[in-house]
Amino acid sequence: LLLCMKYTILNDLHIGTLRASGTSPQSAKALRQYATDCLAKMLKDIDNDLIILGDLFDGFQVPLSDALVTLKHFTSWLNKGHKLYLVPGNHDLSNDSSKLSTFEFVSSVLAENPNVKYHRGGGWLCESDSIYCISHLLHHLVLLGGEGTDLTNKLCEPRLLGEFGVVIEEMG
């Protein structure tokens, strides 16, 4: 979780995780519930625009109940008037383009809202704020910033985040 002046960036939530090894059916269900409860709590506290930077879901297909709860939480949060940017991660899509993943399903439903943008392959998330995304699926790298942008004042200090290799830096 990275909080900036204008955006919150979340990645690797892995909602709908299905673990068999080392778990009982009850603990596996509790883990799935914990993930959706955490999303609800985070969304309650987020009062700015949000970038989901991959691996919202734990796999190509997760239980429908987890997808619907996730959709409900985001829909309620979007009713506050915020913007949502969705970028898939390697867990969110299928190698078989004939199949619709949970991430694509949820993203396409949410994208009916004009404040939601789905970026399958990356690109400009918000050109006016110089936010450019190169999808994790393509290069495992996301750059935020733009020519002449002072990120220390405009967004936040440079830092490296998690396995995504998310880099925030001034370009130039």
Side-chain angles (χ1 to χ4, degrees):
L1 172 66
L2 173 65
L3 295 174
C4 300
M5 289 174 51
K6 256 181 131 167
Y7 300 96
T8 300
I9 301 170
L10 296 175
N11 66 297
D12 293 303
L13 296 174
H14 291 275
I15 292 170
T17 187
L18 298 173
R19 299 288 185 257
S21 177
T23 63
S24 67
Q26 295 82 10
S27 65
K29 183 177 180 183
L31 178 60
R32 289 181 35 230
Q33 182 67 48
Y34 178 76
T36 55
D37 289 349
C38 284
L39 174 65
K41 184 179 183 321
M42 284 186 282
L43 289 175
K44 182 179 168 219
D45 294 337
I46 295 171
D47 197 27
N48 52 359
D49 296 342
L50 175 61
I51 300 170
I52 298 294
L53 203 54
D55 293 351
L56 174 61
F57 295 104
D58 193 53
F60 159 70
Q61 289 183 321
V62 301
L64 181 60
S65 59
D66 292 337
L68 294 176
V69 167
T70 301
L71 189 57
K72 181 185 98 175
H73 291 320
F74 278 121
T75 301
S76 295
W77 179 82
L78 285 163
N79 286 336
K80 297 178 188 177
H82 300 301
K83 291 182 181 173
L84 175 63
Y85 302 90
L86 297 159
V87 181
N90 61 321
H91 286 251
D92 293 318
L93 300 176
S94 170
N95 291 333
D96 181 351
S97 63
S98 70
K99 296 179 181 178
L100 185 70
S101 72
T102 302
F103 182 84
E104 290 169 307
F105 165 72
V106 169
S107 295
S108 60
V109 172
L110 290 171
E112 294 295 316
N113 182 315
N115 286 338
V116 176
K117 294 191 180 184
Y118 173 41
H119 296 272
R120 182 179 179 137
W124 286 104
L125 294 183
C126 186
E127 200 163 344
S128 63
D129 287 328
S130 301
I131 299 175
Y132 187 84
C133 173
I134 302 169
S135 175
H136 173 62
L137 299 170
L138 299 174
H139 301 285
H140 301 271
L141 181 67
V142 175
L143 295 175
L144 280 79
E147 191 173 328
T149 301
D150 181 0
L151 288 178
T152 56
N153 293 329
K154 190 169 184 180
L155 292 174
C156 49
E157 67 185 44
R159 62 181 72 206
L160 181 62
L161 300 178
E163 73 180 63
F164 258 83
V166 178
V167 178
I168 301 173
E169 64 181 32
E170 186 170 351
M171 305 289 290

